[in-house]
Amino acid sequence: MDEKIIEEIVDCMAIYGNDSTIQKIQTAHRLKLAQFWSIKKGMRVLEIGCGQGDTTAVLAHLVGEEGFVHGIDVAAADYGSPITLGEATRYLKASKLGAQIQINLATDVIADEIDFPEQSFDIVVLSHCSWYFQSAEQLAAVLKKARKWGKTLCFAEWDARVTSIEQYPHFLAVLIQAQYEVFKETSISNIRTLFTAEDIMKIIQQTGWEIQKENIIYSPELQDGEWEVDFTIQDYASELMAVDYIPEKLVLLLQSEILILKEAIQKNAIKPMSTYVLICN
């Protein structure tokens, strides 16, 4: 991985504190995804679920000044921590990459008023955002609507198929969150619906896309596994209290799973799950 390229991209991104180490690791992972997708100079890209712009910045760097990246996210500008989406995207827009970027927050792509000309983008990207969706039906609606906007779909999400014991805590933390999320009417959580690789393939094919290429990308330096484990252990009790109704038997099960998670991190290092990546036409 070219450290100079990573530094150039990270210089365009908002950094919490003075240490860019975390962002460099996140950016290196997004570069792996974009390289698998074969993002080239001059491409026009629609990124759905752009969030704080981790993938957006990489895409903008690769398409260059002759290309264009349009990022859309349903979340409002004040969503996110420790840097909000609004803060992150304003910084990115003000950087040297800003000229080839447009970002619209608080924008639901399946709303009737949101539309683009047919085949107006070379690529539609969904990068580590599908677990934010409220349901499989919502994800399917987005993919079906986006089918006419772009020639190619590039997709990435965590792969729930654990391949090492170090990935187990990340998976268990995600599973715990996904179980109580079922009982929420609305949510602002990172994980709202857990899609397996098989779920994703099925939804993609049902919405008119044809899978051309798939791969597994592993970036062991990513901090996301640690973040999800810490969040789950610290906040699960308050998350359960915020739910109007949840069966007592499930509460007891979740408490048991928390104990299993705590034991797991005492015995093993925490590594992130791998990422499942797709190219579809």
Side-chain angles (χ1 to χ4, degrees):
M1 190 67 65
D2 192 324
E3 291 296 328
K4 184 179 179 181
I5 293 176
I6 293 172
E7 289 182 6
E8 288 178 0
I9 297 172
V10 171
D11 283 345
C12 298
M13 306 179 74
I15 304 297
Y16 180 70
N18 298 317
D19 189 352
S20 62
T21 303
I22 290 175
Q23 190 58 60
K24 286 180 179 178
I25 292 170
Q26 294 288 327
T27 298
H29 175 65
R30 268 68 182 186
L31 270 171
K32 291 181 187 178
L33 305 182
Q35 287 167 353
F36 173 77
W37 293 329
S38 297
I39 306 297
K40 298 289 193 297
K41 287 188 179 299
M43 282 184 167
R44 293 179 59 83
V45 180
L46 173 64
E47 185 190 1
I48 298 172
C50 64
Q52 291 160 320
D54 285 341
T55 304
T56 314
V58 170
L59 295 171
H61 175 84
L62 293 176
V63 302
E65 295 178 358
E66 297 178 359
F68 175 67
V69 178
H70 191 155
I72 292 180
D73 202 290
V74 71
D78 60 357
Y79 178 80
S81 176
I83 299 173
T84 67
L85 269 64
E87 292 167 338
T89 54
R90 282 193 298 271
Y91 193 97
L92 184 56
K93 276 290 295 175
S95 75
K96 65 181 181 180
L97 294 175
Q100 59 253 37
I101 294 174
Q102 177 179 336
I103 294 178
N104 294 108
L105 302 178
T107 302
D108 186 354
V109 294
I110 58 176
D112 292 338
E113 64 271 18
I114 304 300
D115 203 4
F116 298 101
E118 189 170 341
Q119 299 296 302
S120 54
F121 297 95
D122 298 298
I123 291 177
V124 177
V125 170
L126 279 81
S127 175
H128 285 291
C129 68
S130 68
W131 287 4
Y132 285 82
F133 282 73
Q134 297 287 359
S135 65
E137 291 76 17
Q138 187 183 58
L139 176 59
V142 169
L143 293 178
K144 185 176 181 179
K145 189 172 182 181
R147 185 68 187 88
K148 71 171 186 175
W149 296 335
K151 303 171 185 177
T152 301
L153 171 68
C154 294
F155 196 101
E157 191 51 89
W158 299 112
D159 189 347
R161 295 170 292 189
V162 171
T163 57
S164 72
I165 192 64
E166 290 83 7
Q167 292 176 328
Y168 175 62
H170 186 189
F171 168 74
L172 186 54
V174 165
L175 185 62
I176 291 169
Q177 292 182 50
Q179 288 176 90
Y180 60 66
E181 283 290 325
V182 171
F183 294 89
K184 290 186 180 180
E185 293 294 328
T186 60
S187 178
I188 59 171
S189 300
N190 290 352
I191 297 161
R192 304 172 198 181
T193 307
L194 193 163
F195 296 109
T196 66
E198 187 174 347
D199 293 330
I200 291 167
M201 286 188 287
K202 183 178 179 181
I203 293 169
I204 284 174
Q205 291 168 337
Q206 288 176 340
T207 52
W209 297 94
E210 184 176 341
I211 297 171
Q212 301 296 321
K213 191 176 180 181
E214 58 184 313
N215 197 14
I216 306 297
I217 292 177
Y218 184 44
S219 300
E221 301 85 5
L222 285 171
Q223 309 89 347
D224 298 69
E226 296 177 16
W227 292 339
E228 293 299 350
V229 168
D230 288 345
F231 172 81
T232 303
I233 291 174
Q234 293 175 14
D235 288 23
Y236 87 95
S238 59
E239 290 282 337
L240 292 181
M241 291 179 63
V243 179
D244 289 336
Y245 168 76
I246 186 168
E248 180 63 24
K249 193 170 184 178
L250 178 57
V251 172
L252 295 174
L253 173 61
L254 291 170
Q255 290 172 346
S256 297
E257 291 174 349
I258 289 291
L259 294 176
I260 295 170
L261 177 57
K262 289 180 177 178
E263 183 178 4
I265 63 176
Q266 290 175 353
K267 294 182 177 180
N268 302 289
I270 302 172
K271 294 293 183 181
M273 291 183 285
S274 301
T275 301
Y276 178 56
V277 287
L278 289 167
I279 300 174
C280 312
N281 290 330

